[in-house]
Structures are given as C-alpha cells and as structure tokens.
Amino acid sequence: MKELVKKTGHELRGLLDKKEVTSVEVAKAFLGRIEEIDGELNCFLTVTADLALEQAKAADERITSGKAGPLTGIPVGLKDLLVTKGVRTTCASKILENFIPPYDGTAVAKLREAGAIFPGKLNMDEFAMGSSNENSAFGPVKNPWDLTRVPGGSSGGSAASVAACEVPMSLGSDTGGSIREPAAFCGIVGMKPSYGRVSRYGLIAFASSLDQIGPMARDVEDAAILFKAISGFDPRDSTSLNPPAFDLKKALNPDVKGLRIGVPKEYFVEGMDPEVESAVRKAIAQLKEMGAEVKEVSLPHTEYAVAVYYIIATAEASSNLARFDSVRFGMRVDGKDLIDTYRETRAAGFGMEVKRRIMLGTYALSAGYYDAYYRKAQRVRTLIARDFAEAFREVDVICTPVVPSVAFRHGEKIADPLQMYLSDIFTIPLNLAGLPGLSLPCGFTKEGMPIGLQMMAGFLQEETLFRAAYAYEQANDWRRIPALGEVK
Amino acid sequence: MDWEMVVGLEVHSQLLTKTKIFCGCSTRFGASPNTQVCPVCLGLPGALPVLNKRVVEFAIKVGLATGCTVAPVSRFARKNYFYPDLPKGYQISQYELPILEFGHLDIEDDKGAPKRIGITRIHMEEDAGKLLHPDVPGADYSLVDLNRACVPLLEIVSEPDIRSAGEAVRYVKKLREILVYLGVCDGNMNEGSLRVDANVSVRPRGREKFGTRAEIKNVNSFKFLEQAINYERERQIELIEEGGTVIQETRLFDAAKGVTLGMRSKEEAHDYRYFPDPDLLPIVISSEEVEKAKELLPELPDPKRERFRTSYGLPALDADVLCSARELADFFEEAVKLHSDAKAVSNWVMGSVLKNLNRDGFDSVAFSPVTPAMLAGMLDLVKNGAISSKIAKEVFEEMWTSKKSAEAIVKEKGLTQISDTSEIEAIVDAIIAKNPSEFERLKGGDAKLTGFFVGQIMRESKGKANPGLVNELLKKKMDS
Ligand SMILES: [Zn+2]
C-alpha cells in the first residue's frame, strides 16, 4: 500500500477508475506518509485528516456513480495563502495564526467541486516573501534531497511535500519565481500561468499585479491536469481572462519538430554554477536533436528586472498588507491607543522580511519618491514586457536556467537579503511581463541535488509551454524520489 | 480692509445603486450593523473588488449633465491610510485619471446675476464604514459597522469660484437638484446621501493669490453649510486682522454652537501614497457609449424651466416651482395634455396640490391621491361652467379624500352650477326684497355694496349660482 504514495495523480486516476484502490485508501496512504516524515520536513502547517477522509468518501461515491473527473479522489496540497473555508489559513504569519476564513478562494472551490482531496495547508515564506522558505513564522521547510538545504521559496512547502511523496501534487503561488525556484530546488515540475489565467480570488495577496496561482507536481502531465482544473474566467477577479479553454491533448504532445527555441544571451551570466549551466545547455541541445530549432535571442532589459521587481512588489505589498490591522480578524496586541494598537500588533505579528518589504514599499510610494521609483519602475516594466513580446515573435519557447545555483544551505544567504534577492534573477522578468513559465528537472549535481530547466512561452501560450516540457520529460528520466524515509 | 472669501466645494453624493460599488451587497440604509457585508467589503484576506457597471453609467449621466468631459480611459487608485472604519487599509478612489473633468454649473450670484462655477473633476470612490461609540459610561471601546463600506460615492470637486455662503448654498442646491433629477442620488442629506466639504480662505479683495485654506468636513445641511462658511470667513478675517495666520487644517462644524473647530491637529502631514489599484482594470469608455448615454439623458431642470416659460407661457415663478422636482413637472405636463389652460393647471398644482401634500407630510407629488387626469377633469368642469371655481375647491378636497372623479362628486352632491336665469332671478329678487335700503344705496352709486349683494346671493344659492349671471342680473335690476 505504501507504493501508492509514489504514484503521480494520473497514475492514481488509473488505479481508482479500475477500482484497484479506493480514494479512502489513497487518502490514508498519503496521510500516513505525512505523519511519518513531516516532522522532519515541516511542509505542513495544518493537516486536515478528517476533511481529507470525508472528501475521499465522497470521491469514492462519485467514482462508483461514474461521475469522476480527472482529480476526483486525488490529494492536492494547498499553499497556506490560499483561503479555505473553515480551515485555518495563516500565510505562515503569526498575525494570521488563528484565522479561519469564512469562504473558499476560486481555485480551491474549483478543486473542491472537482472532487479533489485536501490533506492540509502547506508551509511557505511568510506572506510569500522569500526565496528559501526560511521566513515562515512556523519554522523553515527542509529540502527532502538534503535536510541541511533549503527547499526554495516561497512555495517551499508545496514543492518539498510533492518531492517527498506527501502529496502527489500541490498548488503554489508565483510572484517572482516562487513556484519555479522551489520546483527546481526540489526536483519537481512547477508552472506559473499567464497573468489572469487563474483567478486570484482567495489568494492572500503579496503583489497583486504579479501573483499567480500555479500547479506543482512530479511530472508535466499532472501539472497540466491541475492547471486545467484551476484555470478559467472568474467574475470575482477583475483581472481574470477568458481565453479558449486549455487543450490537454495539444499540451501533452511529445513532438517538438519545428518548435523554435530561444536562448537569451543575458541569462547565461558569469558566476553561475557550472553544473547548472552545463545541464541546461545539454537539455537545449537535446531538444535540438529532437527536431526543435534553436536560436539566440536577446532580452536587453533583463538587468533591471530585479530592481524593478523589488519596487513594484514591495509597493503593492505595503498596501496589500495594510488590512492586517487587528480590527476585524487575526491577532491583536492592545496598545495605549488606536495607533499604538496597530503598531504593537503589526510589530509582533509580522516577521523581519515582511517588515523590511513594507518599509521599502511605503518608501517607494511616498510623496516625492513616487516618480523616481514607482513610476519609473512601471516604465521599465513595460520595456521588459516589450523585450519578451519581440523575442516571442521569433521563437515559441525560451529556455534558461531557473536559478543560477542548486539549493543552498539553510542560513547561507538569510543574513544577506541582496544576495538572496539575486537568486530570483532568472524568474522575475517573466512575472513582470505576465507570461507563463515552467520549471522541470534536467539533471542532478555530483552531490545529488536536482537542477531545474526553465521554459517560458508567449502570453496565453500554455499549450506550447507544456508541449515543450512534456517532450523533454518523455525523452529523459529525471523523475526521482529522494532517499528520505525511503518509501517501502 | 475689504476682504474677499474664496470657497471650493467637494460634494460627496451616495449613488442609488442597489448593490455596492465593488461587491454584490445591498446598499439599503438603516439595516442592523454588519448585516450587509461580504468578504470583499469586509476587506478579508484574498478578496478582490469587481466594479459595479451601474456606477459608471451613473457617473457618465452626472458628467453629461454638468458639462464634463468623459475620459476615454480612467482608473482606480488606492488611497492608503489606517482607520478602523477602513477595512482594507486603503480606500479605492480615483486620483490621477478621474472619469470626469472640466465641467460647470450655472447659478446666480448674490445680486441675482448669472454666474458659472467650474467643476474641476468628478470621480468614483467607495465609502468607508462607520464607528459606533457605545453609550455606556466608561466604555473604552468602539464598534465598527461596515454596512456602508464599499457603498458607491461620486465626489464632485468644484473650482474655487464661489465667493459667498449664498453662492455655495445655491451651487449645492443646484447640484442636488440635478442628481435627484437624474435619479442617481436621493439627495437625502439627513441620511448622509449628500455631504459637503468646504475649502474656505480669505484674501484682500483684488489680490490674486489665494489665502491659506481651512477645510470644513462633512457638512450635511444647507443651513449648516451657510453658517459654517460665514463663521469661517469671520474667524479667518479676525485672525488675520489680529496679526495671526490661518493654518491649513481640517475643521468640523459644531451645529449646536454654530462654530467651526479644528480637529486634533495632525503632527505629520498625511501622505496617502496613491497608486493605481492593480486589482482593477482601467475603465475604458467609448465615444459611442457616451453618445448613447446622451440620448437617454432626461431633460434637466434649467432647460425645462425655460421650456415651461416659453411653450406654456408660464411666469418664471411658476416654472421654478413646477420644475423643482421631476415628478412635479411631469404631473403638470400630464395634466396640461388633458386640460390645455396651462396657467389654470399651474395655479392648482402650485396651490391646492402642493398645499395638501405638505399638510399630509408627503415630500413628492408621487403620493398625491389626485392624479393629473382627475385635476384636468375638474378644470374642464370649471371651464365649461358646470361648477364655479369656489365649488371646485370643495370638489378638489373631496377628490383628495375619496379619490373619486370630479364629475362623480359633482353629480353625487348636486353641486352643478345654477345657470338657469329664472332660478337665479328669483333669488336676486328675494335678496333685494330683504335689503331694500341697501339696494337704494347701491343704486345711488355705492359700489362697495355690490360685493355684499353678490355674497348674499351666492350664499342663498349655496355657492351654486353662476357668478357671471348673478352680476348680470343684479345690474339689470339696478338699471330697471
Ligand atoms: Zn460586500
């Protein structure tokens, strides 16, 4: 029975449909795995075993009555910034430690309706701010490939839980690389959709114009299935789009003949881990052998992306986090008067990194600095988006590393925020441009750490993106399970 | 020194949409606290605003009625500040790109001359909630009611063109009239549907530079607006003449004392850190939409008044009164369609109809039990001589209470005017016989007695005698 947790979602689907296993058995297997190893990993902030078993029972009934969808009876872990009705949602912050939302976000509601099973809420960097998952108020997540290393952030719990077989798939959110970077560090597939393709309703906002919910899974097929399930127009999100429905068949086509692949010269920088560079270059060469056309492209404004990102993201965050004021929900520390109560509550409730970003963003929006920082950043953002638009006139997919290195050790960069911010250098531009991107394993270092390959595509070109990733994945065998708590 | 006051007004008007500006909650006034709220207007984590399209439609109407330019692209911004009645920690408003700009409103100055007040901009925004301070001795807490949070407002900002309290009041009255006419605001100042902030400064007459202004917040009646502005003018002049300086601050009007008071002075100047709200897309309005809205725009009070004067030949006073409310003007026009003597209709509407509405405590002609058709029917009877205008008063009251037609009432009560000469002549003869000496004096040229005799005859006939015939017969008797 323990073999079950090694299965992907679509493999479980086959077993469930053939009645070789029940949803309840699936749920119990994964809950057991969580109980067995999560003490070491710290992926889960809340385990909802009762809810999962209840959902599993309902899923079994649905399967029996022939009304099962692709995700019916499949466990999906939820990053703890996704609002869940009746289930504690903390954003990994003390300020929301006891917050129980009265409603479901749209992505969660869609999964609930599809019959998915929710084993619990996953650890993350507080309010999704961080690149290493060391900023959680409830302790860091460990990388299942090496417990001394970080899993990447901010969807570290979502990535590590999938890599360690605690769930077959999960949802994360990506503001500047928060799905792709931890996916690369943990050796799984993570995908950030085009901005507006997945509703943000019920996603506790970090930076509204950049945030996007996306799937994390052990293979491309699962990621595509999960993406299809959560995407679509939502009248409750004004920025939601209504493109033609995502075609799973077109996405899961292993043929890359004629696919034009771009390699941006600005993304192969000095100081990159040579093992990472070599693995990524090998992957590109392999795609070429498979019939893709490879050419160099240029994204000339790349060097400004990190600076632009930290102005826009922090500006939006400073405003988005104003609602955590102790008046209606969350913790409250009583002060001597109203203003003092705000101050005390926010001082005690927010962690260091969150405070740092609120300060930065407040400064960037202040009278007298707005033009020099925020407005200028928006202008450069437009230029970055234009770079991509031009590049995607010549190519269908752009391939780059996800991160310049593999997962680093806990504490290695936490004291140097600037160094930490630079680790998102390859993922941030895509969020600024609102385009879809995906991270998938493309090798391992000598030390056995997974290396990620990033693929990016034009606006709403998710089918092309998945197709390229699927083709590469089918031609390789990087899907591995870390030795941790060896699955018996 | 001769001082001149400079006033600019910001009018906040609550829009008459059924649901709030960014969520589907009801906007009904007076519900129990926090019964009309949802994750969006409560500002819960993860909730997102979605613009109510009716608000944009209403804004366009107001813009067209005030001569504003409708921006092809406008957008919402966040105004960031902390206050317990502001759930998100920011108010969604418009800043750099408002939906409407460069309009005006025509009023009269204190001497009755026409004057144009510029409208700088009109923008859409959400209202905040309300703090309730418990009426419990020693209570060290306040409660928050968020029913009003997210209710749609239009903020109408005037140019500093206003020079007196009278002009300010006339400007707001005119604005209110237009908003109510358009059906976008109920204009109810008691319930806060219309609130005014007044920016007041003074300067020596002839100087171009403005003085330092004080902002008087949230005035909610015309009387208070007038008092507050006049008080503020005197306060500032006195202050300057005594060698002091006016500081830029926010003041509140204390209606009980009739004075404005500085709010606790804010040490640090407010920095709202405005920026475009990333949760809402820019509002794009095509010229076709504007054209369509223009066609659907109802006739506005000023052009209506003009038309009432010219096409019905009514005096200005009548036109003003009849056009003061859209339903009243409609009532009048409906009656005139059925009874063409416009002045007679106007007299009755302005007289009996308004008087009775007022007496019965109704604030709109919509509540009148006498319909335009009933009024026209009664006036027809007067015109064709079936009843006298005196009897008509009685008939009108009867219509008001019974809601029966004038014709039915006249028939039921036998109120038909006596136009039979012999019948009236008999009464005339009887009255003359009763008052022989008075009749002699009348014949001798004491014209004052005419009234006495007509009165007696009318009384004898219970008011039913045709007054024309009475006069005619009386004259004949005098000459015989
Ligand atoms: Zn609401």
Side-chain angles (χ1 to χ4, degrees):
Chain A
M1 199 55 76
K2 284 195 171 171
E3 279 292 309
L4 270 183
V5 299
K6 282 192 191 170
K7 305 281 182 208
T8 62
H10 57 94
E11 286 164 355
L12 291 168
R13 170 89 275 121
L15 298 176
L16 286 166
D17 288 347
K18 278 184 264 163
K19 310 277 162 60
E20 285 177 26
V21 69
T22 65
S23 307
V24 171
E25 285 165 342
V26 169
K28 280 184 177 161
F30 283 99
L31 288 168
R33 175 77 173 161
I34 293 166
E35 206 179 322
E36 186 187 350
I37 63 164
D38 203 58
E40 270 182 286
L41 289 178
N42 199 26
C43 288
F44 279 83
L45 293 177
T46 306
V47 175
T48 50
D50 292 346
L51 171 67
L53 291 171
E54 194 185 302
Q55 288 176 313
K57 263 185 218 140
D60 279 330
E61 280 166 31
R62 228 163 125 164
I63 293 167
T64 310
S65 65
K67 285 177 194 150
L71 290 174
T72 308
I74 309 294
V76 182
L78 303 171
K79 187 175 181 178
D80 207 24
L81 48 45
L82 297 168
V83 166
T84 41
K85 187 174 181 173
V87 175
R88 185 175 87 121
T89 302
T90 68
C91 246
S93 180
K94 269 195 266 174
I95 213 161
L96 284 179
E97 187 164 6
N98 299 310
F99 176 56
I100 297 178
Y103 77 107
D104 270 334
T106 300
V108 170
K110 280 181 175 239
L111 292 182
R112 227 190 256 276
E113 277 159 37
I117 293 169
F118 299 150
K121 306 297 291 288
L122 296 164
N123 205 347
M124 54 185 281
D125 281 305
E126 184 180 3
F127 284 101
M129 296 175 185
S131 310
S132 64
N133 216 127
E134 291 168 292
N135 296 328
S136 167
F138 307 111
V141 172
K142 308 273 174 61
N143 190 315
W145 293 97
D146 176 351
L147 297 179
T148 67
R149 294 182 193 250
V150 302
S154 65
S155 308
S158 300
S161 62
V162 169
C165 300
E166 292 180 319
V167 282
M169 55 175 83
S170 66
L171 289 185
S173 73
D174 192 315
T175 307
S178 305
I179 286 176
R180 290 160 286 156
E181 188 236 25
F185 280 7
C186 292
I188 62 160
V189 177
M191 185 261 183
K192 174 223 171 284
S194 299
Y195 186 76
R197 197 135 191 195
V198 175
S199 169
R200 289 182 298 114
Y201 189 78
L203 160 67
I204 299 179
F206 160 17
S208 312
S209 74
L210 301 160
D211 295 341
Q212 195 63 190
I213 301 171
M216 305 185 81
R218 285 214 300 282
D219 69 6
V220 174
E221 183 170 347
D222 266 9
I225 290 168
L226 188 50
F227 166 69
K228 188 173 170 67
I230 59 170
S231 60
F233 176 70
D234 179 11
R236 281 179 298 188
D237 175 358
S238 308
T239 59
S240 173
L241 300 171
N242 196 10
F246 172 71
D247 187 335
L248 209 55
K249 250 194 201 130
K250 277 191 196 159
L252 301 178
N253 167 6
D255 182 10
V256 290
K257 274 195 198 72
L259 195 78
R260 299 169 303 165
I261 291 177
V263 181
K265 54 184 179 199
E266 294 83 1
Y267 278 58
F268 289 83
V269 292
E270 232 172 283
M272 196 192 302
D273 182 330
E275 283 187 284
V276 170
E277 177 166 3
S278 130
V280 170
R281 288 204 187 276
K282 253 187 218 155
I284 294 167
Q286 194 185 353
L287 284 162
K288 190 173 176 182
E289 269 168 44
M290 290 163 65
E293 195 185 306
V294 175
K295 59 166 109 177
E296 191 178 77
V297 291
S298 177
L299 298 166
H301 295 91
T302 301
E303 62 174 306
Y304 306 111
V306 173
V308 165
Y309 173 83
Y310 277 95
I311 289 165
I312 292 172
T314 57
E316 291 181 6
S318 72
S319 174
N320 283 334
L321 268 53
R323 69 185 62 196
F324 302 98
D325 61 0
S326 78
V327 175
R328 289 145 295 129
F329 52 80
M331 73 183 283
R332 179 183 298 172
V333 180
D334 283 315
K336 59 180 193 295
D337 57 23
L338 177 63
I339 296 291
D340 201 41
T341 297
Y342 291 154
R343 270 193 201 126
E344 295 289 334
T345 302
R346 289 166 69 84
F350 289 140
M352 205 47 226
E353 183 60 24
V354 173
K355 286 177 194 162
R356 177 157 37 223
R357 297 201 193 191
I358 290 174
M359 293 295 289
L360 269 171
T362 302
Y363 182 79
L365 289 176
S366 311
Y369 298 103
Y370 179 87
D371 284 315
Y373 294 105
Y374 185 80
R375 201 191 296 275
K376 186 165 277 175
Q378 287 293 14
R379 290 212 185 112
V380 180
R381 181 181 186 171
T382 307
L383 297 177
I384 290 169
R386 210 174 284 163
D387 282 356
F388 276 107
E390 245 152 66
F392 281 118
R393 236 171 264 150
E394 292 178 40
V395 297
D396 303 305
V397 171
I398 289 175
C399 286
T400 74
V402 182
V403 200
S405 69
V406 293
F408 44 89
R409 290 184 198 282
H410 279 283
E412 200 179 315
K413 292 189 183 177
I414 197 79
D416 188 349
L418 202 60
Q419 202 51 41
M420 184 79 89
Y421 293 172
L422 285 172
S423 63
D424 296 338
I425 194 161
F426 297 147
T427 48
I428 278 174
L430 203 73
N431 296 78
L432 292 170
L435 306 179
L438 184 149
S439 164
L440 79 167
C442 70
F444 286 83
T445 62
K446 288 195 291 292
E447 285 181 309
M449 292 308 293
I451 299 170
L453 167 68
Q454 176 169 233
M455 291 180 168
M456 314 189 245
F459 193 53
L460 299 177
Q461 300 305 306
E462 274 86 355
E463 280 156 13
T464 310
L465 181 67
F466 275 113
R467 179 183 153 203
Y470 187 68
Y472 176 77
E473 185 190 65
Q474 293 297 304
N476 292 277
D477 185 23
W478 300 119
R479 212 186 90 191
R480 293 178 194 172
I481 290 165
L484 168 104
E486 188 55 56
V487 180
K488 290 157 210 134
Chain B
M1 196 183 302
D2 186 15
W3 293 92
E4 180 182 54
M5 177 167 59
V6 175
V7 180
L9 298 178
E10 292 165 19
V11 177
H12 289 86
S13 71
Q14 183 181 323
L15 298 180
L16 276 174
T17 53
K18 287 200 180 66
T19 56
K20 296 184 178 181
I21 181 166
F22 297 123
C23 66
C25 292
S26 167
T27 54
R28 195 167 56 87
F29 180 81
S32 315
N34 298 313
T35 53
Q36 295 174 170
V37 291
C38 71
V40 176
C41 54
L42 287 174
L44 291 190
L48 295 170
V50 175
L51 177 60
N52 179 348
K53 293 214 166 64
R54 295 287 284 172
V55 175
V56 177
E57 285 170 28
F58 282 9
I60 293 174
K61 276 188 183 179
V62 174
L64 292 175
T66 52
C68 286
T69 309
V70 180
V73 179
S74 63
R75 73 173 305 162
F76 283 104
R78 293 185 183 176
K79 181 180 182 180
N80 294 282
Y81 65 96
F82 283 100
Y83 205 67
D85 69 1
L86 190 72
K88 297 185 288 295
Y90 55 83
Q91 180 191 23
I92 305 179
S93 181
Q94 293 194 300
Y95 184 58
E96 281 178 311
L97 298 171
I99 185 165
L100 304 162
E101 277 183 299
F102 316 122
H104 56 81
L105 216 57
D106 292 325
I107 61 162
E108 283 175 357
D109 69 12
D110 291 344
K111 290 179 188 124
K115 175 162 182 179
R116 175 161 285 194
I117 308 296
I119 290 176
T120 316
R121 58 184 275 151
I122 301 180
H123 65 251
M124 306 177 281
E125 64 184 27
E126 58 177 347
D127 206 346
K130 203 167 80 179
L131 288 189
L132 306 169
H133 305 289
D135 203 8
V136 181
D140 60 348
Y141 60 93
S142 294
L143 301 168
V144 188
D145 175 11
L146 293 172
N147 279 352
R148 215 175 64 190
C150 221
V151 156
L153 302 178
L154 273 192
E155 182 174 338
I156 300 149
V157 183
S158 86
E159 290 284 312
D161 290 344
I162 294 163
R163 293 289 172 273
S164 73
E167 285 182 15
V169 168
R170 283 192 292 281
Y171 167 84
V172 179
K173 277 192 173 161
K174 191 124 205 198
L175 192 58
R176 180 178 177 276
E177 185 182 75
I178 289 174
L179 294 169
V180 174
Y181 244 76
L182 294 173
V184 304
C185 175
D186 65 18
N188 192 332
M189 296 178 89
N190 292 331
E191 292 177 3
S193 303
L194 209 67
R195 319 194 284 266
V196 185
D197 298 345
N199 287 299
V200 179
S201 66
V202 296
R203 63 182 174 191
R205 194 175 301 281
R207 200 177 75 171
E208 206 158 304
K209 202 168 157 260
F210 290 149
T212 306
R213 67 190 155 87
E215 186 182 28
I216 311 165
K217 278 272 185 206
N218 271 332
V219 186
N220 64 353
S221 90
F222 293 119
K223 194 176 101 193
F224 296 160
L225 180 64
E226 184 168 2
Q227 287 177 356
I229 290 175
N230 281 332
Y231 176 86
E232 189 56 25
R233 178 192 143 93
E234 295 315 312
R235 184 188 73 87
Q236 293 187 11
I237 292 172
E238 207 168 292
L239 188 65
I240 298 168
E241 287 183 341
E242 280 169 2
T245 44
V246 176
I247 52 162
Q248 190 169 334
E249 62 176 344
T250 303
R251 298 179 72 82
L252 284 179
F253 180 65
D254 182 332
K257 299 194 182 95
V259 301
T260 65
L261 299 168
M263 287 167 77
R264 198 153 41 100
S265 110
K266 290 166 206 138
E267 299 292 301
E268 74 282 21
H270 243 308
D271 182 351
Y272 290 121
R273 289 171 286 117
Y274 280 101
F275 75 106
D277 191 328
D279 288 332
L280 290 156
L281 299 175
I283 304 142
V284 179
I285 300 166
S286 68
S287 51
E288 288 80 24
E289 277 173 276
V290 176
E291 284 311 308
K292 218 190 227 165
K294 251 182 213 162
E295 280 165 30
L296 295 173
L297 205 64
E299 185 179 27
L300 292 168
D302 275 354
K304 201 185 272 281
R305 280 187 194 102
E306 177 62 27
R307 184 168 62 80
F308 274 32
R309 282 196 294 268
T310 53
S311 62
Y312 297 119
L314 292 178
L317 176 71
D318 291 46
D320 281 353
V321 172
L322 294 176
C323 295
S324 64
R326 196 165 148 188
E327 315 86 70
L328 191 63
D330 289 348
F331 184 97
F332 165 79
E333 291 207 274
E334 239 178 275
V336 166
K337 261 187 225 154
L338 303 168
H339 181 86
S340 60
D341 186 346
K343 182 58 187 159
V345 174
S346 168
N347 288 346
W348 277 88
V349 172
M350 287 173 38
S352 298
V353 174
L354 287 182
K355 205 181 70 208
N356 282 11
L357 284 171
N358 195 33
R359 179 196 68 201
D360 296 353
F362 295 127
D363 59 2
S364 164
V365 75
F367 299 105
S368 169
V370 173
T371 64
M374 285 159 71
L375 180 65
M378 185 197 82
L379 291 174
D380 285 347
L381 294 181
V382 176
K383 197 174 185 186
N384 67 25
I387 57 172
S388 66
S389 39
K390 195 161 175 201
I391 293 288
K393 287 240 154 72
E394 201 183 323
V395 172
F396 183 87
E397 289 304 326
E398 185 60 30
M399 289 199 295
W400 193 270
T401 47
S402 71
K403 293 183 192 167
K404 287 180 187 160
S405 74
E407 214 171 6
I409 292 165
V410 166
K411 203 176 274 173
E412 236 169 65
K413 302 209 157 181
L415 295 172
T416 314
Q417 188 163 254
I418 306 165
S419 297
D420 181 333
T421 316
S422 59
E423 205 176 319
I424 296 174
E425 195 164 4
I427 299 170
V428 172
D429 285 343
I431 295 297
I432 291 171
K434 252 191 218 168
N435 305 285
S437 61
E438 284 82 358
F439 189 64
E440 282 311 310
R441 272 162 53 202
L442 178 66
K443 270 171 97 171
D446 192 347
K448 274 185 291 184
L449 282 164
T450 314
F452 167 77
F453 274 97
V454 171
Q456 292 288 317
I457 294 160
M458 292 305 283
R459 187 178 301 160
E460 185 67 27
S461 75
K462 298 194 175 69
K464 290 191 281 186
N466 183 323
L469 276 178
V470 171
N471 274 309
E472 203 176 292
L473 287 169
L474 200 57
K475 214 167 195 179
K476 208 170 95 188
K477 299 285 167 190
M478 282 161 64
D479 297 343
S480 64

